[in-house]
Amino acid sequence: MTKTSTNRVDWRALWASGDLARFCFIGLGILLHATNETMVATVMPAMVGELAGVQLVGWSLAIYELGAIVAGAAAGRLASYVALRTNMMVAAMLYAVGALVCATAPSMPLFLCGRLIEGLGGGALVSLAFVSVERLFARAIWPQLFGVMSAIWGVAAFSGPVLGAVMTEFSSWRWAFGVFTLGGTAMALASFLVLDTPEATRQAKGGSAPPFPFAALGCLAGSVVLIATAGVDIALLRSSLLLTLGLIGLALFIYIDALKPRSRLFPSRLFSWRSPVGAGMTMVAAFSVATCSFAVYGPLLLTSLHGIPILTTGYIIAAESIAWSILSILVANAPPERERLIIVGGALMIATGVAGFAYTVPAGSIPLILFCALLQGGGFGIAWPFVTRVIVASAKEGEQTIASAAVPTMQRIGYAVGAALTGIVANASGFSEGLNREAAANVAAWLFLAFIPLGILGCLAALRISGAPPAKLPISPLVGEID
Protein backbone atom coordinates (compact mmCIF):
# COMPACT_ATOMS: atom_id res chain seq x y z
CA MET A 1 0.00 0.00 0.00
CA THR A 2 1.23 3.49 -0.86
CA LYS A 3 0.99 6.44 1.53
CA THR A 4 2.05 10.07 1.36
CA SER A 5 4.47 11.74 3.75
CA THR A 6 1.55 13.00 5.83
CA ASN A 7 0.51 9.38 6.50
CA ARG A 8 -2.59 9.82 4.35
CA VAL A 9 -3.51 7.17 1.81
CA ASP A 10 -2.39 7.92 -1.75
CA TRP A 11 -5.53 6.85 -3.60
CA ARG A 12 -4.01 7.49 -7.04
CA ALA A 13 -1.09 5.18 -6.33
CA LEU A 14 -3.44 2.65 -4.82
CA TRP A 15 -5.47 2.65 -8.04
CA ALA A 16 -2.31 2.30 -10.14
CA SER A 17 -1.27 -0.75 -8.12
CA GLY A 18 -4.62 -2.40 -8.78
CA ASP A 19 -5.58 -2.67 -5.10
CA LEU A 20 -8.30 -0.03 -5.28
CA ALA A 21 -9.84 -1.59 -8.39
CA ARG A 22 -9.82 -4.93 -6.61
CA PHE A 23 -11.58 -3.41 -3.64
CA CYS A 24 -14.21 -1.76 -5.85
CA PHE A 25 -14.96 -5.17 -7.31
CA ILE A 26 -15.31 -6.68 -3.84
CA GLY A 27 -17.63 -3.81 -2.90
CA LEU A 28 -19.87 -4.76 -5.81
CA GLY A 29 -21.00 -7.78 -3.79
CA ILE A 30 -22.27 -5.49 -1.03
CA LEU A 31 -23.99 -3.29 -3.61
CA LEU A 32 -25.76 -6.26 -5.22
CA HIS A 33 -27.00 -7.60 -1.92
CA ALA A 34 -28.07 -4.30 -0.34
CA THR A 35 -29.75 -2.95 -3.48
CA ASN A 36 -31.76 -6.14 -3.88
CA GLU A 37 -32.72 -6.05 -0.22
CA THR A 38 -34.21 -2.55 -0.47
CA MET A 39 -35.71 -2.97 -3.94
CA VAL A 40 -38.37 -5.61 -3.27
CA ALA A 41 -40.94 -3.39 -1.57
CA THR A 42 -41.37 -1.20 -4.65
CA VAL A 43 -41.89 -4.14 -7.03
CA MET A 44 -44.32 -5.85 -4.66
CA PRO A 45 -47.56 -4.27 -5.97
CA ALA A 46 -46.86 -5.31 -9.57
CA MET A 47 -45.54 -8.71 -8.54
CA VAL A 48 -48.56 -9.55 -6.37
CA GLY A 49 -50.84 -8.38 -9.18
CA GLU A 50 -49.27 -10.97 -11.47
CA LEU A 51 -48.43 -13.86 -9.15
CA ALA A 52 -51.15 -13.37 -6.50
CA GLY A 53 -50.21 -14.77 -3.09
CA VAL A 54 -50.61 -11.54 -1.13
CA GLN A 55 -50.73 -13.74 1.99
CA LEU A 56 -47.03 -14.51 1.48
CA VAL A 57 -45.77 -10.94 1.08
CA GLY A 58 -44.17 -10.94 4.54
CA TRP A 59 -42.15 -14.00 3.59
CA SER A 60 -40.33 -12.09 0.82
CA LEU A 61 -38.20 -10.18 3.33
CA ALA A 62 -38.20 -12.78 6.12
CA ILE A 63 -36.82 -15.59 3.96
CA TYR A 64 -34.21 -13.31 2.32
CA GLU A 65 -32.89 -12.08 5.67
CA LEU A 66 -32.86 -15.61 7.06
CA GLY A 67 -30.71 -16.80 4.17
CA ALA A 68 -28.40 -13.82 4.61
CA ILE A 69 -27.94 -14.49 8.34
CA VAL A 70 -27.09 -18.17 7.85
CA ALA A 71 -24.82 -17.62 4.83
CA GLY A 72 -23.08 -14.66 6.47
CA ALA A 73 -22.17 -16.76 9.48
CA ALA A 74 -21.10 -19.70 7.30
CA ALA A 75 -19.04 -17.74 4.76
CA GLY A 76 -16.82 -16.11 7.36
CA ARG A 77 -15.92 -19.52 8.76
CA LEU A 78 -15.72 -21.30 5.40
CA ALA A 79 -13.10 -18.78 4.26
CA SER A 80 -10.72 -20.44 6.74
CA TYR A 81 -10.88 -23.69 4.78
CA VAL A 82 -11.58 -22.79 1.13
CA ALA A 83 -9.79 -20.25 -1.10
CA LEU A 84 -11.33 -16.79 -1.01
CA ARG A 85 -11.75 -16.60 -4.79
CA THR A 86 -13.64 -19.90 -4.83
CA ASN A 87 -15.90 -18.72 -2.05
CA MET A 88 -16.62 -15.48 -3.88
CA MET A 89 -17.45 -17.26 -7.13
CA VAL A 90 -19.84 -19.72 -5.46
CA ALA A 91 -21.57 -16.92 -3.53
CA ALA A 92 -21.98 -14.79 -6.67
CA MET A 93 -23.39 -17.71 -8.65
CA LEU A 94 -25.82 -18.57 -5.85
CA TYR A 95 -26.98 -14.97 -5.91
CA ALA A 96 -27.38 -14.98 -9.69
CA VAL A 97 -29.32 -18.27 -9.67
CA GLY A 98 -31.63 -16.96 -6.96
CA ALA A 99 -32.28 -13.76 -8.91
CA LEU A 100 -33.00 -15.80 -12.05
CA VAL A 101 -35.52 -17.96 -10.18
CA CYS A 102 -37.24 -14.79 -8.92
CA ALA A 103 -37.26 -13.24 -12.40
CA THR A 104 -38.87 -16.28 -14.01
CA ALA A 105 -41.07 -17.49 -11.15
CA PRO A 106 -44.61 -18.46 -12.26
CA SER A 107 -45.93 -18.48 -8.67
CA MET A 108 -45.27 -16.91 -5.30
CA PRO A 109 -43.90 -20.11 -3.64
CA LEU A 110 -41.27 -20.48 -6.37
CA PHE A 111 -40.46 -16.77 -6.07
CA LEU A 112 -39.81 -17.28 -2.35
CA CYS A 113 -37.45 -20.16 -3.17
CA GLY A 114 -35.51 -17.74 -5.32
CA ARG A 115 -35.47 -15.17 -2.50
CA LEU A 116 -33.95 -17.74 -0.14
CA ILE A 117 -31.21 -18.59 -2.64
CA GLU A 118 -30.60 -14.88 -3.24
CA GLY A 119 -30.31 -14.30 0.50
CA LEU A 120 -27.77 -17.10 0.85
CA GLY A 121 -25.64 -15.69 -1.95
CA GLY A 122 -25.99 -12.06 -0.92
CA GLY A 123 -25.28 -12.69 2.75
CA ALA A 124 -22.15 -14.64 1.80
CA LEU A 125 -20.97 -11.83 -0.51
CA VAL A 126 -21.23 -9.27 2.30
CA SER A 127 -19.41 -11.48 4.78
CA LEU A 128 -16.67 -12.27 2.24
CA ALA A 129 -16.23 -8.56 1.50
CA PHE A 130 -15.19 -7.99 5.11
CA VAL A 131 -12.96 -11.09 5.02
CA SER A 132 -11.37 -9.76 1.81
CA VAL A 133 -10.41 -6.48 3.43
CA GLU A 134 -8.61 -8.36 6.18
CA ARG A 135 -6.90 -10.80 3.79
CA LEU A 136 -6.01 -8.63 0.80
CA PHE A 137 -5.28 -5.13 2.09
CA ALA A 138 -2.81 -3.55 4.49
CA ARG A 139 -4.15 -2.88 7.98
CA ALA A 140 -3.31 0.83 7.70
CA ILE A 141 -5.96 1.37 5.02
CA TRP A 142 -8.77 -0.59 6.69
CA PRO A 143 -10.53 2.49 8.15
CA GLN A 144 -10.73 4.12 4.69
CA LEU A 145 -11.98 0.92 3.08
CA PHE A 146 -14.61 0.38 5.74
CA GLY A 147 -15.71 3.97 5.20
CA VAL A 148 -16.17 3.26 1.49
CA MET A 149 -18.16 0.15 2.37
CA SER A 150 -20.47 2.26 4.55
CA ALA A 151 -20.97 4.63 1.62
CA ILE A 152 -21.91 1.66 -0.57
CA TRP A 153 -24.72 0.78 1.87
CA GLY A 154 -25.96 4.35 1.58
CA VAL A 155 -25.94 4.24 -2.22
CA ALA A 156 -27.77 0.90 -2.21
CA ALA A 157 -30.41 2.15 0.20
CA PHE A 158 -31.27 4.88 -2.30
CA SER A 159 -30.77 3.00 -5.56
CA GLY A 160 -32.72 -0.15 -4.61
CA PRO A 161 -36.20 1.39 -4.29
CA VAL A 162 -35.63 3.65 -7.29
CA LEU A 163 -34.39 0.77 -9.47
CA GLY A 164 -37.41 -1.36 -8.57
CA ALA A 165 -39.82 1.48 -9.22
CA VAL A 166 -38.26 2.49 -12.54
CA MET A 167 -38.11 -1.08 -13.88
CA THR A 168 -41.70 -1.74 -12.85
CA GLU A 169 -42.95 1.55 -14.25
CA PHE A 170 -41.24 1.35 -17.64
CA SER A 171 -40.66 -2.37 -18.20
CA SER A 172 -41.50 -5.24 -15.82
CA TRP A 173 -40.78 -6.15 -12.22
CA ARG A 174 -39.12 -9.30 -13.60
CA TRP A 175 -36.41 -7.23 -15.25
CA ALA A 176 -35.53 -5.75 -11.85
CA PHE A 177 -34.41 -9.25 -10.84
CA GLY A 178 -32.94 -9.78 -14.30
CA VAL A 179 -30.49 -6.95 -13.60
CA PHE A 180 -29.28 -8.79 -10.50
CA THR A 181 -28.99 -12.05 -12.43
CA LEU A 182 -26.62 -10.35 -14.85
CA GLY A 183 -24.75 -8.62 -12.05
CA GLY A 184 -24.19 -11.82 -10.06
CA THR A 185 -23.08 -13.74 -13.15
CA ALA A 186 -20.66 -11.00 -14.17
CA MET A 187 -19.17 -10.92 -10.68
CA ALA A 188 -18.67 -14.69 -10.63
CA LEU A 189 -16.99 -14.70 -14.03
CA ALA A 190 -14.77 -11.73 -13.20
CA SER A 191 -13.54 -13.28 -9.95
CA PHE A 192 -10.87 -15.24 -11.87
CA LEU A 193 -9.40 -12.03 -13.22
CA VAL A 194 -9.72 -9.73 -10.23
CA LEU A 195 -9.01 -12.03 -7.30
CA ASP A 196 -5.74 -13.28 -8.75
CA THR A 197 -3.45 -12.60 -5.77
CA PRO A 198 -1.83 -15.43 -3.81
CA GLU A 199 -3.83 -14.44 -0.73
CA ALA A 200 -7.08 -14.94 -2.66
CA THR A 201 -6.23 -18.12 -4.56
CA ARG A 202 -4.25 -20.24 -2.12
CA GLN A 203 -5.98 -22.96 -0.14
CA ALA A 204 -6.59 -21.78 3.39
CA LYS A 205 -5.39 -23.90 6.28
CA GLY A 206 -8.18 -25.60 8.17
CA GLY A 207 -8.68 -25.61 11.89
CA SER A 208 -8.46 -21.85 12.46
CA ALA A 209 -12.16 -21.04 12.40
CA PRO A 210 -14.53 -21.29 15.34
CA PRO A 211 -17.20 -24.01 15.08
CA PHE A 212 -20.29 -23.18 13.08
CA PRO A 213 -23.39 -22.53 15.26
CA PHE A 214 -25.57 -25.18 13.63
CA ALA A 215 -27.94 -25.65 16.58
CA ALA A 216 -28.48 -21.95 17.27
CA LEU A 217 -29.07 -20.98 13.64
CA GLY A 218 -31.27 -24.05 13.14
CA CYS A 219 -33.49 -22.86 16.00
CA LEU A 220 -33.54 -19.35 14.51
CA ALA A 221 -34.52 -20.61 11.05
CA GLY A 222 -37.23 -22.85 12.44
CA SER A 223 -38.60 -20.04 14.60
CA VAL A 224 -38.90 -17.55 11.74
CA VAL A 225 -40.56 -20.15 9.52
CA LEU A 226 -43.05 -21.04 12.28
CA ILE A 227 -43.94 -17.39 12.90
CA ALA A 228 -44.29 -16.69 9.19
CA THR A 229 -46.42 -19.82 8.69
CA ALA A 230 -48.73 -18.75 11.52
CA GLY A 231 -49.88 -15.82 9.39
CA VAL A 232 -50.45 -17.56 6.05
CA ASP A 233 -53.81 -19.19 6.79
CA ILE A 234 -55.27 -17.49 9.85
CA ALA A 235 -57.03 -19.86 12.27
CA LEU A 236 -57.12 -19.02 15.97
CA LEU A 237 -55.88 -22.31 17.41
CA ARG A 238 -53.41 -23.18 14.66
CA SER A 239 -51.95 -19.69 14.30
CA SER A 240 -51.65 -19.21 18.07
CA LEU A 241 -49.86 -22.55 18.43
CA LEU A 242 -47.41 -21.82 15.61
CA LEU A 243 -46.72 -18.31 16.91
CA THR A 244 -46.11 -19.63 20.43
CA LEU A 245 -43.77 -22.33 19.14
CA GLY A 246 -41.93 -19.73 17.07
CA LEU A 247 -41.41 -17.44 20.07
CA ILE A 248 -40.24 -20.40 22.18
CA GLY A 249 -37.80 -21.23 19.39
CA LEU A 250 -36.40 -17.70 19.49
CA ALA A 251 -35.85 -18.01 23.24
CA LEU A 252 -34.16 -21.37 22.67
CA PHE A 253 -31.94 -19.81 19.98
CA ILE A 254 -30.72 -17.18 22.45
CA TYR A 255 -30.20 -19.83 25.15
CA ILE A 256 -28.20 -22.17 22.88
CA ASP A 257 -26.09 -19.27 21.61
CA ALA A 258 -25.12 -18.38 25.18
CA LEU A 259 -23.97 -21.98 25.83
CA LYS A 260 -21.39 -21.97 23.01
CA PRO A 261 -18.63 -19.43 23.86
CA ARG A 262 -16.47 -20.23 20.82
CA SER A 263 -19.25 -19.89 18.26
CA ARG A 264 -21.62 -17.43 19.89
CA LEU A 265 -23.23 -14.65 17.85
CA PHE A 266 -24.12 -12.34 20.76
CA PRO A 267 -22.47 -11.02 23.91
CA SER A 268 -23.46 -12.37 27.31
CA ARG A 269 -26.56 -11.09 29.17
CA LEU A 270 -28.07 -10.20 25.83
CA PHE A 271 -31.30 -8.53 26.96
CA SER A 272 -30.45 -7.69 30.58
CA TRP A 273 -31.33 -4.07 31.29
CA ARG A 274 -28.80 -4.03 34.12
CA SER A 275 -26.12 -3.26 31.55
CA PRO A 276 -25.96 -0.87 28.56
CA VAL A 277 -25.31 -3.91 26.35
CA GLY A 278 -28.65 -5.50 27.22
CA ALA A 279 -30.61 -2.24 26.97
CA GLY A 280 -28.89 -1.38 23.68
CA MET A 281 -29.59 -4.78 22.13
CA THR A 282 -33.21 -4.53 23.29
CA MET A 283 -33.49 -1.19 21.52
CA VAL A 284 -31.94 -2.61 18.33
CA ALA A 285 -34.28 -5.62 18.36
CA ALA A 286 -37.44 -3.64 19.17
CA PHE A 287 -36.96 -0.99 16.48
CA SER A 288 -35.81 -3.48 13.84
CA VAL A 289 -39.06 -5.42 14.27
CA ALA A 290 -41.28 -2.35 14.67
CA THR A 291 -40.18 -0.63 11.45
CA CYS A 292 -40.76 -3.57 9.09
CA SER A 293 -44.40 -2.69 8.44
CA PHE A 294 -43.82 0.15 6.03
CA ALA A 295 -40.78 -1.48 4.40
CA VAL A 296 -42.76 -4.63 3.55
CA TYR A 297 -46.32 -3.36 2.96
CA GLY A 298 -46.03 0.42 2.48
CA PRO A 299 -45.90 0.56 -1.35
CA LEU A 300 -48.52 -2.19 -1.70
CA LEU A 301 -50.97 -0.34 0.58
CA LEU A 302 -50.38 3.07 -0.97
CA THR A 303 -50.87 1.72 -4.49
CA SER A 304 -53.94 -0.36 -3.60
CA LEU A 305 -55.66 2.27 -1.44
CA HIS A 306 -54.79 5.58 -3.06
CA GLY A 307 -53.44 4.76 -6.52
CA ILE A 308 -50.09 6.37 -5.67
CA PRO A 309 -47.58 5.55 -8.46
CA ILE A 310 -44.94 2.96 -7.68
CA LEU A 311 -42.22 5.44 -8.62
CA THR A 312 -43.47 7.81 -5.92
CA THR A 313 -43.40 5.08 -3.28
CA GLY A 314 -39.85 4.26 -4.37
CA TYR A 315 -38.80 7.86 -3.81
CA ILE A 316 -40.39 7.85 -0.34
CA ILE A 317 -38.47 4.76 0.73
CA ALA A 318 -35.29 6.18 -0.81
CA ALA A 319 -35.84 9.44 1.10
CA GLU A 320 -35.93 7.47 4.35
CA SER A 321 -32.54 5.97 3.52
CA ILE A 322 -31.09 9.34 2.54
CA ALA A 323 -32.24 10.81 5.87
CA TRP A 324 -30.47 7.92 7.64
CA SER A 325 -27.18 8.59 5.83
CA ILE A 326 -27.20 12.39 6.08
CA LEU A 327 -28.07 12.56 9.76
CA SER A 328 -25.50 9.86 10.57
CA ILE A 329 -22.84 12.07 9.06
CA LEU A 330 -24.12 15.25 10.74
CA VAL A 331 -24.00 13.80 14.27
CA ALA A 332 -20.87 11.68 13.79
CA ASN A 333 -18.62 14.12 15.65
CA ALA A 334 -20.96 14.85 18.54
CA PRO A 335 -19.14 14.94 21.92
CA PRO A 336 -19.48 11.86 24.17
CA GLU A 337 -21.45 13.75 26.82
CA ARG A 338 -24.26 14.33 24.30
CA GLU A 339 -24.51 10.87 22.81
CA ARG A 340 -27.09 9.61 25.36
CA LEU A 341 -29.35 12.57 24.56
CA ILE A 342 -28.89 11.85 20.86
CA ILE A 343 -29.83 8.19 21.35
CA VAL A 344 -33.04 9.14 23.17
CA GLY A 345 -33.87 11.76 20.53
CA GLY A 346 -33.34 9.27 17.73
CA ALA A 347 -35.50 6.68 19.49
CA LEU A 348 -38.33 9.18 19.88
CA MET A 349 -38.08 10.04 16.17
CA ILE A 350 -38.32 6.36 15.17
CA ALA A 351 -41.29 5.71 17.46
CA THR A 352 -43.05 8.84 16.22
CA GLY A 353 -42.55 7.71 12.63
CA VAL A 354 -43.97 4.26 13.37
CA ALA A 355 -47.01 5.76 15.12
CA GLY A 356 -47.44 8.40 12.41
CA PHE A 357 -47.76 5.79 9.67
CA ALA A 358 -50.88 4.50 11.47
CA TYR A 359 -52.60 7.77 10.48
CA THR A 360 -50.83 8.90 7.32
CA VAL A 361 -50.98 5.63 5.32
CA PRO A 362 -54.78 5.23 5.66
CA ALA A 363 -55.19 8.96 4.96
CA GLY A 364 -52.97 8.80 1.87
CA SER A 365 -51.26 12.17 2.42
CA ILE A 366 -47.96 11.95 0.55
CA PRO A 367 -46.32 14.92 2.41
CA LEU A 368 -47.22 13.42 5.79
CA ILE A 369 -46.13 9.93 4.74
CA LEU A 370 -42.83 11.38 3.56
CA PHE A 371 -42.45 13.23 6.86
CA CYS A 372 -42.95 10.00 8.84
CA ALA A 373 -40.44 8.21 6.60
CA LEU A 374 -37.89 10.97 7.19
CA LEU A 375 -38.52 10.80 10.94
CA GLN A 376 -38.02 7.04 10.95
CA GLY A 377 -34.91 7.05 8.77
CA GLY A 378 -33.43 10.11 10.46
CA GLY A 379 -34.01 8.58 13.89
CA PHE A 380 -32.04 5.52 12.87
CA GLY A 381 -29.30 7.71 11.44
CA ILE A 382 -28.99 9.70 14.66
CA ALA A 383 -29.22 6.87 17.17
CA TRP A 384 -27.59 3.82 15.58
CA PRO A 385 -23.90 4.87 15.53
CA PHE A 386 -24.00 5.81 19.20
CA VAL A 387 -26.04 2.79 20.29
CA THR A 388 -23.46 0.59 18.60
CA ARG A 389 -20.63 2.46 20.27
CA VAL A 390 -22.27 2.12 23.70
CA ILE A 391 -22.82 -1.61 23.20
CA VAL A 392 -19.23 -2.24 22.10
CA ALA A 393 -17.69 -0.04 24.80
CA SER A 394 -19.80 -1.63 27.54
CA ALA A 395 -19.24 -5.25 26.53
CA LYS A 396 -17.23 -7.53 28.77
CA GLU A 397 -13.51 -7.87 28.24
CA GLY A 398 -12.95 -10.16 25.27
CA GLU A 399 -16.49 -9.70 23.89
CA GLN A 400 -16.01 -6.40 22.06
CA THR A 401 -15.59 -8.10 18.68
CA ILE A 402 -18.69 -10.22 19.24
CA ALA A 403 -20.63 -7.14 20.36
CA SER A 404 -19.70 -5.11 17.28
CA ALA A 405 -20.84 -7.89 14.96
CA ALA A 406 -23.96 -8.54 17.06
CA VAL A 407 -25.65 -5.23 16.19
CA PRO A 408 -26.10 -5.86 12.42
CA THR A 409 -26.86 -9.53 13.16
CA MET A 410 -29.63 -8.53 15.57
CA GLN A 411 -30.94 -6.07 12.96
CA ARG A 412 -31.24 -8.82 10.38
CA ILE A 413 -32.94 -11.15 12.84
CA GLY A 414 -35.29 -8.30 13.75
CA TYR A 415 -36.12 -7.73 10.09
CA ALA A 416 -36.75 -11.43 9.54
CA VAL A 417 -38.97 -11.78 12.62
CA GLY A 418 -40.66 -8.43 11.94
CA ALA A 419 -41.48 -9.39 8.37
CA ALA A 420 -43.00 -12.64 9.61
CA LEU A 421 -45.07 -10.81 12.24
CA THR A 422 -46.29 -8.22 9.74
CA GLY A 423 -47.60 -11.12 7.66
CA ILE A 424 -49.65 -12.33 10.63
CA VAL A 425 -51.14 -8.88 11.27
CA ALA A 426 -51.78 -8.14 7.60
CA ASN A 427 -53.45 -11.47 6.88
CA ALA A 428 -55.49 -11.37 10.08
CA SER A 429 -56.66 -7.86 9.11
CA GLY A 430 -57.90 -8.81 5.66
CA PHE A 431 -55.21 -9.96 3.22
CA SER A 432 -56.00 -13.61 3.94
CA GLU A 433 -59.12 -13.05 1.77
CA GLY A 434 -57.08 -11.63 -1.12
CA LEU A 435 -55.96 -8.21 -2.35
CA ASN A 436 -58.74 -5.64 -2.71
CA ARG A 437 -59.36 -2.08 -1.58
CA GLU A 438 -61.50 -3.02 1.42
CA ALA A 439 -58.93 -5.51 2.68
CA ALA A 440 -56.13 -2.97 2.16
CA ALA A 441 -58.06 -0.38 4.18
CA ASN A 442 -58.42 -2.80 7.10
CA VAL A 443 -54.76 -3.77 6.93
CA ALA A 444 -53.64 -0.13 6.85
CA ALA A 445 -55.73 0.60 9.94
CA TRP A 446 -54.18 -2.16 12.07
CA LEU A 447 -50.75 -2.94 10.65
CA PHE A 448 -48.92 0.06 12.09
CA LEU A 449 -50.89 0.27 15.32
CA ALA A 450 -49.84 -3.28 16.16
CA PHE A 451 -46.17 -2.32 16.36
CA ILE A 452 -46.48 0.88 18.40
CA PRO A 453 -45.86 -1.08 21.67
CA LEU A 454 -42.48 -2.16 20.31
CA GLY A 455 -41.73 1.47 19.49
CA ILE A 456 -42.48 2.35 23.10
CA LEU A 457 -40.25 -0.51 24.28
CA GLY A 458 -37.42 0.84 22.13
CA CYS A 459 -37.81 4.30 23.70
CA LEU A 460 -37.75 2.84 27.22
CA ALA A 461 -34.57 0.94 26.36
CA ALA A 462 -33.04 4.17 25.03
CA LEU A 463 -33.88 5.92 28.32
CA ARG A 464 -32.21 3.06 30.18
CA ILE A 465 -29.08 3.50 28.08
CA SER A 466 -29.00 7.21 28.94
CA GLY A 467 -28.02 6.38 32.52
CA ALA A 468 -24.83 4.57 31.48
CA PRO A 469 -21.33 6.15 31.42
CA PRO A 470 -20.20 7.59 28.07
CA ALA A 471 -18.76 5.13 25.56
CA LYS A 472 -15.32 5.91 24.19
CA LEU A 473 -14.82 3.55 21.28
CA PRO A 474 -14.87 5.24 17.85
CA ILE A 475 -17.10 3.76 15.20
CA SER A 476 -17.99 4.51 11.60
CA PRO A 477 -21.01 6.83 11.40
CA LEU A 478 -22.88 4.54 9.02
CA VAL A 479 -22.41 1.25 10.85
CA GLY A 480 -25.59 -0.77 10.92
CA GLU A 481 -27.37 0.85 7.98
CA ILE A 482 -29.37 -1.77 6.10
CA ASP A 483 -32.69 -0.52 4.99
Side-chain angles (χ1 to χ4, degrees):
M1 187 203 65
T2 305
K3 296 194 294 182
T4 65
S5 58
T6 60
N7 204 40
R8 296 177 61 185
V9 177
D10 186 342
W11 293 99
R12 183 176 298 178
L14 195 65
W15 178 265
S17 70
D19 284 343
L20 187 57
R22 188 173 292 111
F23 173 75
C24 290
F25 167 78
I26 292 168
L28 177 61
I30 298 177
L31 184 65
L32 288 172
H33 168 72
T35 303
N36 193 318
E37 182 181 53
T38 59
M39 178 267 297
V40 173
T42 51
V43 305
M44 194 62 67
M47 190 189 72
V48 169
E50 182 176 336
L51 299 183
V54 68
Q55 300 90 341
L56 299 174
V57 166
W59 282 70
S60 63
L61 179 62
I63 206 75
Y64 185 84
E65 295 294 351
L66 193 58
I69 293 166
V70 174
R77 290 165 169 79
L78 194 60
S80 298
Y81 303 96
V82 181
L84 182 61
R85 184 170 68 173
T86 302
N87 272 312
M88 192 73 79
M89 286 183 57
V90 172
M93 284 308 302
L94 264 179
Y95 179 88
V97 169
L100 180 61
V101 172
C102 289
T104 58
S107 64
M108 183 65 86
L110 191 56
F111 173 82
L112 293 175
C113 290
R115 288 292 285 167
L116 176 61
I117 299 170
E118 269 190 323
L120 290 169
L125 286 174
V126 172
S127 181
L128 291 171
F130 283 88
V131 173
S132 299
V133 170
E134 180 185 359
R135 293 271 185 91
L136 305 181
F137 302 96
R139 181 181 295 270
I141 198 177
W142 286 3
Q144 288 84 356
L145 297 184
F146 286 133
V148 175
M149 291 167 79
S150 294
I152 292 172
W153 281 106
V155 170
F158 171 79
S159 62
V162 174
L163 172 65
V166 169
M167 288 303 237
T168 302
E169 195 79 18
F170 299 106
S171 181
S172 167
W173 64 269
R174 295 184 182 276
W175 273 109
F177 290 97
V179 170
F180 295 117
T181 302
L182 296 175
T185 303
M187 186 167 185
L189 293 175
S191 292
F192 273 117
L193 300 175
V194 178
L195 298 179
D196 57 350
T197 64
E199 295 84 359
T201 56
R202 69 167 176 248
Q203 192 75 17
K205 295 181 179 179
S208 59
F212 186 74
F214 286 105
L217 289 176
C219 279
L220 174 63
S223 301
V224 173
V225 170
L226 284 170
I227 295 171
T229 304
V232 174
D233 185 15
I234 299 296
L236 181 60
L237 181 60
R238 172 185 168 278
S239 298
S240 299
L241 178 61
L242 290 174
L243 177 60
T244 301
L245 290 175
L247 295 176
I248 292 173
L250 287 176
L252 186 61
F253 156 68
I254 295 170
Y255 176 75
I256 292 175
D257 182 68
L259 293 178
K260 305 288 185 179
R262 292 194 62 231
S263 63
R264 66 190 310 170
L265 301 172
F266 297 110
S268 55
R269 302 177 67 189
L270 180 59
F271 292 125
S272 172
W273 282 29
R274 295 181 179 179
S275 72
V277 174
M281 294 303 292
T282 301
M283 178 179 168
V284 171
F287 281 136
S288 297
V289 175
T291 54
C292 276
S293 299
F294 189 75
V296 176
Y297 284 97
L300 181 62
L301 290 173
L302 294 177
T303 302
S304 302
L305 275 178
H306 310 294
I308 295 175
I310 293 176
L311 193 58
T312 301
T313 64
Y315 285 136
I316 291 173
I317 294 177
E320 180 179 347
S321 301
I322 293 171
W324 182 322
S325 299
I326 291 176
L327 289 184
S328 290
I329 294 170
L330 291 178
V331 303
N333 295 321
E337 60 269 18
R338 294 184 181 177
E339 66 181 8
R340 296 313 188 281
L341 181 62
I342 293 173
I343 290 173
V344 173
L348 290 172
M349 289 174 63
I350 297 170
T352 303
V354 172
F357 281 132
Y359 168 76
T360 59
V361 172
S365 171
I366 293 179
L368 290 178
I369 293 170
L370 177 61
F371 178 69
C372 290
L374 293 175
L375 273 179
Q376 188 167 282
F380 274 109
I382 287 175
W384 242 230
F386 298 104
V387 171
T388 307
R389 187 158 66 186
V390 168
I391 290 172
V392 175
S394 305
K396 289 183 178 180
E397 188 67 29
E399 290 189 354
Q400 283 84 6
T401 300
I402 294 175
S404 63
V407 175
T409 300
M410 181 58 75
Q411 272 187 279
R412 292 200 175 281
I413 292 173
Y415 292 149
V417 173
L421 290 175
T422 59
I424 294 177
V425 177
N427 290 335
S429 302
F431 276 166
S432 60
E433 304 298 327
L435 179 60
N436 54 67
R437 196 179 188 284
E438 182 180 356
N442 288 331
V443 170
W446 289 104
L447 183 62
F448 303 100
L449 288 174
F451 291 93
I452 290 178
L454 281 175
I456 296 173
L457 177 63
C459 290
L460 293 175
L463 289 171
R464 185 70 178 179
I465 295 171
S466 65
K472 297 180 180 179
L473 292 181
I475 192 166
S476 169
L478 294 179
V479 165
E481 181 170 344
I482 292 180
D483 70 342

